[in-house]
Structure formats: structure tokens, C-alpha cells
Amino acid sequence: MSIEFRLNGKDFCVGPSSVPIETSLNTFIRNHAHLSGTKFMCLEGGCGACVVNVSGPHPASGEIVSYAVNSCLFPIFACHGLDIVTVEGIGDERVGYHKTQKVLAHFNGTQCGYCSPGMVMNMYSLLQSKSGRVSMAEVENAFGGNICRCTGYRPILDAFKSLAHDAELGLKQKFACMDIEDLCSKSNRTCLGKCPITKKIDDKKGIHMSFIENKEWHKIYNLNEVFMILEKIVSKPYILVGGNTAHGVYRRSDKLQIFIDISSVDELRSHSLGSNLIVGANVSLTEFMTILSDAAGKNPSFLYCSELVNHIDLVANVPVRNTGTIAGNLCIKNQHNEFPSDLYLILETVGATLKITELNGNIMVVKPSEFIGLDMNKKLILSIIMPPIEPANTAFKSFKIMPRAQNAHAYVNGAFLMKFKEDHTTIDTVTICYGGINPTVSIL
């Protein structure tokens, strides 16, 4: 068996005889597709040199979503059914350059040029995800994970901010832009640079591939398949593959034999808002922020979710949050208690719980503080349950002390939830959580 995907409009089939199971998308792009525009440097998702654009159907809604990913972390075998675009795919001298390429050059936003493809693709992906309409604030926030060692960032940000709908007049005048639509390099027509996937893939058919050294890759689409595989492998070391961004923090073990791609399990990617806000465990951090914002706008009992969004916005960077999942972040904390997980901290403070299923079908609901001591072998986080909090008599705040304003782990982080009595002045109960003090969170 093999996986199928598109790269710059060209169909690819990749199987066990093509590349090793650990191959990243970046390695495939550079060494097998021979597209050298996409660079690599840190191999940890922190520098942005390897950013490419990925589009594909959302497992729960079926809607086509487009986002930036760090190709150095994204496994090639997780690309089944996806449409991938690199810097070569959005424009060149022959067919015409994309707006993001033109504006970066015009503003002198490149010097050595090594970071430029990643910068361009990050901006291209931002435009794709926002249907071409972005604000200056969104542009500035999107580049926390792109490092440039030459230009000092100002010309880069000025270039991309000139494409924002609220760009300052001086920026717009410096580069008299056409409409955001630009020449599509695939069809010679005006579009946002994105062409639809023409080859439809049966995205509900599981894939099982066998590699050397008794290694296996499984692509599955429902929870039953997960536990069928876990039961069959007995004691073989395995990993559940979501966004694979944890590999940038703690390198995965070389002893792993079974890779189970759960990124397309719709039960783990859905959410619902009722008396509680229930969010699938495999929802990406970017999508989680959107879900929390929507909940805060729809129900006053979830107004505190807006504060959570502000804190999650400080976690890693945009491409990492686009693929990194809630469960993935929490499982790093489970396996490495010293990891300063901001997500763990804020979920514990607001009283969120985790719904976990075992191989035998048993269901348990635990607090995050209980989860970090739990043996998760052959267990799976199903969802995160966010409780309502009455805004009239509560106050929630969280903080993160970090070496930089973006894209850094916390030195110390803290979150505080106070509930007041009916007089609104006397404290009834208080929850205080700190991270970075010791391997576990202190709760008072």
C-alpha cells in the first residue's frame, strides 16, 4: 500500500519501498521531489525556514482548510490526501511571481535569502486561511516562528503588512498593490494562489504499510481501528501521530515500531457547546483557539475562554499550533513532568477535565493534575471538558514569563481563578497554579 498526495499540482504515491518510515515532509521535498526552495535549519519547528502550505478536508466538517506547517516535523506518511504547496508552487519567473514574493523583494526584505522562502510561505498560508483579507496585527502575530538573521525584520514586516486591509497609507504608497488576487501559477487565471485538488482520494479507507525492522505505519479513520491495532501489537513500542510537533521538543525514541496516524479520526476532531464545552482531544491548538473564542461569544458562562485564547497564543508559534494538538501537548507533560505546559496549567486552573478511554472500553474522567501521573499505555484521550464559569462572581487571569514575547517556553507561568461570595467582595474559593517551580504544578 502507499499514500497519495499532491505537491505543487503533481500527484505523488509514496510507499515503504520509496522512503524510510521516519522521513519528514521536508526531506521528501528536498531530496526526493528535488525542490530546494524549502530550506531546513533547526529541525525543531522553531526557525520557520521549512514552512510550506498544506490544504485538505477537515475530518469533522469536511471543509477544505489551508494552513502553514513546519515541514521538518511533519511526517511524509501523514500527507495522505493533502495538497502541499512550496515556494516554487506559488510563482516563478516563468509564470509570474505571487504577491507575497513580489512585495518582499520590493521592500528589500531579503539579504542572504535563506529565510525568505519560509517567510513567503507563512504569509501565503495566512492569506489562504483568511481568504485573502488579513489585518496588520494578524500579520505581526503570524511571524513569531520565523527567524531572520540579516535584515532586522522591519522590512519583512513592512512588506507583508502592506498586504493587510488596514495597512498604513505609507506602506500602501510604497508598493502600489494590485488587488490581493494574483496570477495563479497553475492555471493562468486570477486566484489566491490556491487551486482545488482535482484527484479525489477515498479518505475513509485505512492504510497499513510495513517497513524494515518490523516497523509499521497505520492511517486510521475511527476509534475502533485504534484499539484493534493496539490489541494486535501486544507489547511493541508505538506512537500515536497527531501533529508530531512534540518531536521538536523531545526527540522520539528510535525503538518505536508502530506509528498510528490518528489525525483524521473525526470523533477526535469535533466539538460541541452545551452545558459544557466538549472539545475533541486531537483538535489543533489553532482550532482550539477559534472554538474557545466562539464559545465566549455565544455563552456568557464561557467568557473566561477569551483569556485562555490569549494565553494559548503564547504557545510555540503559528505553524506549530496549526498541527500541534491539545492531547499532544498534554501527553508531553504526562511523559515529561518537567515540561512547562501552558495548556496543562490553564486547563487545571479553570477546572477542565479529560475524558480517557482504555483498551478494554472503560472510560475515566480525570483532572489534568491527575492525568500527569497516569500510565497512558494503550489509553487514549477522547476529549477535553470545559465547565461553565459564572462571570458575575469570578475572575480568571493567567501569566507567562518567557525569554521572548513569542515562540518560547515559560520560565515561570501562573494562572488564578477566584470565586466571590454574593457580596462580590469576599473571596469564596481560589485556585492558584504555578508552573516552572517544580516538575508538577503547585495548587493552593
Side-chain angles (χ1 to χ4, degrees), residues 192-212:
L192 288 170
K194 172 183 173 184
C195 293
I197 302 173
T198 57
K199 183 177 181 180
K200 184 174 177 59
I201 294 175
D202 182 4
D203 59 357
K204 296 298 180 182
K205 184 178 180 181
I207 294 175
H208 173 211
M209 292 177 286
S210 298
F211 295 77
I212 60 173

Side-chain angles (χ1 to χ4, degrees), residues 240-272:
L240 301 176
V241 181
N244 199 51
T245 54
H247 184 58
V249 185
Y250 297 97
R251 291 306 193 194
R252 60 174 176 256
S253 171
D254 293 331
K255 297 179 181 179
L256 289 171
Q257 290 182 283
I258 311 299
F259 296 74
I260 308 172
D261 181 359
I262 59 173
S263 61
S264 296
V265 177
D266 57 0
E267 297 103 312
L268 300 177
R269 295 288 300 275
S270 59
H271 68 279
S272 62

